[in-house]
Amino acid sequence: MTEIDSETRTVRLAHRVPALLNALGIESPPTGEMAVHSPITGEVLVGLRPAGPAEIDSAIEEAAAAFRSWRTVPAPQRAAVVRELAVLLRRHQDELAELVTLEVGKIPAEARGEVQEMIDICEFAVGLSRQLYGYTMASERPGHRLMETWHPLGVVGVISAFNFPVAVWAWNTAVALVCGDTVVWKPSDRTPLTALACHALLRRAARAAAADPRIHQLVLGTGAAGAQLVDDERVALISATGSVAMGRRVGPRVAARFGRCLLELGGNNAAVVTPSADLDLAVRAIVFAAVGTAGQRCTSLRRLIVHAGIADELLNRLAGAYRQLRVGNPLEPGVQVGPLSGPEAWERMRDAIDLARRDGGELICGGHEVTVDGAGSAARYAHPAIVRMPDQTEIVREETFAPILYVLTYDDFDTALALHNGVPQGLSSAIFTTDQRESERFLAADGSDCGIANVNIGTSGAEIGGAFGGEKHTGGGRESGSDAWKAYMRRATNTINYSSDLPLAQGIRFD
């Protein structure tokens, strides 16, 4: 799978790219000056050509033209494309997962899990195609029927982030296509190879289902490409995943043209551990949630709020588990924590730990850079850190996209909830307790203020059956399951008069 440069002893991964792309149906990607780096070694995997303004305009126009006929195709027939995509994803799960590992640095188990998530949302969307329900309401006027219908919205612009390069695209695209929309995708400029692969697979699925392949368009590029999507009135919905800063730019620009926005932004997720908690279960859940994907998930656990009476015991257990973590090249067997996204991620992690210590924090374990054989100077690895904090300082209230777990203590449950909710973000949350009153309070209106609230399970690893998203600075959007499909459609209220009279609403007479 890997090659070693005999002079520099650096691991070489680029040789794998052509074979993987070929297996996924891409023989000659558009080469150019946009370098694609692997965080595993820091090497350039390939250089690709970004789309220019004219190409992006053409992609939007193609999607808009395809929408005019795609919206009239019955939803179960539209689902045939998504069904074929699931077939191809199963067939090519290994190749696509390896490409995710090369571009993102995920360990293979997590990469395969991400592709499985794509398959799962495809299955969900196929079933959804027969459940795009509207209500029938009782009319106050005799001889009238009142109902609502749901119609395709238009072109959906998907702007995705590097850490989940394929799953989040699938959440949006599978549902949008079934709803009758067409899609223009601008992936992260760090993960264009996985985007090329998914685009090729979807085009193959469209052809297999005898559908117009123009229903999906791909534009590669940097922030300028995304900005063009954001500002184009032909794009009815912008679904953007990324930082809060990105959302602050995108939201007002889409609102200014009266477009729709679905924003999935930052998460500064916390878990409360109560005196009654099953600590064996809690430790396992906490470690995975805090260090999975090297702490680079929007749902990563970043704050641990522990009852003072059990804090020392829990910290000892966590520190013992952290010291056993194997950090390294994710392609090597037994590695549990892969690389950070790059040097800038390590700098943010280092600076955040320094600020936390300046605020009185105690570094319990980890937090140091790790040297990995075969990694070049542009690759960065770090041992996940646990920092015990005296209170919730400004650095704790910020989201540092790195594997840092801040530990706070509490004495009464109201204080725990206040600490939990005392941050600007509101994505995912958890409580570990065997006390039913505590768990119910955590899920109540005056409990967790997050879009996701879990009991006795970590903050990460959401299933596609539920709606995914958060509140406050997280953006308020919902993707994936439940009734998240409504974001991709427009609602019409219909009144049908089947009588020969014309009564007015509210009893108004106009004779």
Side-chain angles (χ1 to χ4, degrees):
M1 183 174 290
T2 59
E3 289 183 349
I4 304 292
D5 187 296
S6 59
E7 295 182 4
T8 65
R9 304 305 301 164
T10 301
V11 174
R12 297 299 183 192
L13 303 174
H15 76 286
R16 286 290 300 155
V17 171
L20 289 172
L21 292 180
N22 186 262
L24 290 160
I26 305 165
E27 294 183 2
S28 54
T31 57
E33 69 278 8
M34 188 172 77
V36 183
H37 294 264
S38 173
I40 299 173
T41 60
E43 72 181 276
V44 175
L45 295 174
V46 70
L48 297 176
R49 179 176 56 80
E55 285 181 272
I56 298 170
D57 180 78
S58 176
I60 297 171
E61 183 54 39
E62 287 282 283
F67 170 71
R68 288 190 280 275
S69 57
W70 183 242
R71 63 186 171 181
T72 66
V73 176
Q77 292 183 31
R78 297 193 295 250
V81 174
V82 179
R83 186 184 297 109
E84 291 292 339
L85 176 61
V87 170
L88 292 172
L89 289 171
R90 286 191 182 91
R91 188 178 303 160
H92 296 288
Q93 185 169 13
D94 289 341
E95 294 95 338
L96 187 54
E98 186 179 345
L99 210 52
V100 169
T101 293
L102 294 182
E103 280 198 307
V104 182
K106 290 187 178 185
I107 61 174
E110 287 191 73
R112 280 186 60 85
E114 182 171 353
V115 180
Q116 183 61 49
E117 197 165 344
M118 301 173 74
I119 297 167
D120 293 344
I121 194 63
C122 287
E123 292 179 346
F124 178 90
V126 170
L128 177 66
S129 70
R130 297 180 183 271
Q131 301 178 73
L132 301 174
Y133 299 138
Y135 290 118
T136 298
M137 291 77 75
S139 173
E140 67 185 55
R141 291 170 283 187
H144 285 62
R145 180 160 60 90
L146 190 62
M147 69 177 191
E148 67 179 21
T149 49
W150 290 85
H151 302 293
L153 183 62
V155 177
V156 174
V158 177
I159 301 173
S160 58
F162 86 95
N163 57 336
F164 279 87
V166 293
V168 173
W169 166 77
W171 288 358
N172 284 275
T173 301
V175 174
L177 291 178
V178 161
C179 287
D181 303 324
T182 55
V183 175
V184 181
W185 181 21
K186 205 297 277 185
S188 167
D189 56 4
R190 298 183 182 209
T191 57
L193 293 174
T194 47
L196 285 169
C198 291
H199 179 61
L201 292 176
L202 189 103
R203 285 290 181 96
R204 285 169 61 187
R207 288 192 293 270
D212 186 346
R214 298 179 303 162
I215 58 176
H216 189 268
Q217 304 288 325
L218 174 67
V219 293
L220 304 181
T222 58
Q228 190 170 338
L229 280 180
V230 165
D231 292 335
D232 198 303
E233 292 198 359
R234 293 170 295 179
V235 181
L237 170 68
I238 290 289
S239 178
T241 303
S243 67
V244 173
M246 181 272 286
R248 290 188 193 280
R249 296 190 300 270
V250 168
R253 289 169 68 163
V254 176
R257 61 175 179 83
F258 297 102
R260 289 198 200 176
C261 243
L262 198 168
L263 298 176
E264 296 290 355
L265 309 175
N268 192 359
N269 314 295
V272 176
V273 186
T274 74
S276 70
D278 178 340
L279 293 188
D280 290 335
L281 181 150
V283 166
R284 295 197 302 273
I286 290 165
V287 172
F288 175 74
V291 310
T293 319
Q296 297 171 124
R297 294 180 178 221
C298 55
T299 54
S300 290
L301 181 61
R302 310 204 180 280
R303 296 176 298 132
L304 194 62
I305 302 165
V306 189
H307 190 276
I310 60 169
D312 289 343
E313 179 185 357
L314 180 58
L315 272 174
N316 286 336
R317 291 196 187 197
L318 287 174
Y322 267 54
R323 292 186 182 106
Q324 295 177 50
L325 292 173
R326 186 176 172 193
V327 180
N329 184 329
L331 295 170
E332 294 182 3
V335 167
Q336 297 150 313
V337 182
L340 299 175
S341 60
E344 71 288 345
W346 162 245
E347 291 166 9
R348 287 195 300 268
M349 180 177 179
R350 179 196 60 203
D351 293 346
I353 293 174
D354 288 345
L355 282 171
R357 298 175 82 170
R358 203 174 306 160
D359 290 339
E362 176 190 1
L363 181 62
I364 301 299
C365 66
H368 54 275
E369 193 170 4
V370 176
T371 300
V372 173
D373 290 342
S377 59
R380 289 292 186 279
Y381 292 78
H383 198 287
I386 299 176
V387 184
R388 187 167 187 169
M389 298 298 295
D391 52 38
Q392 193 151 265
T393 62
E394 189 61 33
I395 189 60
V396 180
R397 296 179 74 250
E398 296 177 4
E399 180 192 32
T400 301
F401 218 61
I404 306 174
L405 181 63
Y406 299 109
V407 180
L408 303 157
T409 58
Y410 75 94
D411 291 310
D412 65 271
F413 197 64
D414 284 339
T415 300
L417 286 177
L419 285 169
H420 179 279
N421 296 341
V423 297
Q425 309 85 0
L427 179 52
S428 188
S429 60
I431 186 171
F432 293 91
T433 182
T434 55
D435 185 319
Q436 185 178 4
R437 288 180 175 175
E438 290 176 334
S439 64
E440 293 295 335
R441 174 76 188 282
F442 189 74
L443 302 180
D446 60 346
S448 167
D449 63 1
C450 295
I452 299 169
N454 298 330
V455 177
N456 293 328
I457 192 171
T459 56
S460 61
E463 296 183 36
I464 57 91
F468 180 90
E471 302 300 323
K472 303 191 292 187
H473 288 194
T474 300
R478 292 296 185 274
E479 296 171 321
S480 193
S482 185
D483 66 348
W485 60 269
K486 293 180 178 180
Y488 304 87
M489 302 196 82
R490 61 177 179 87
R491 183 196 324 236
T493 300
N494 314 124
T495 305
I496 300 98
N497 179 3
Y498 58 89
S499 74
S500 57
D501 298 320
L502 191 64
L504 302 179
Q506 294 83 47
I508 296 173
R509 298 187 65 83
F510 192 72
D511 296 330

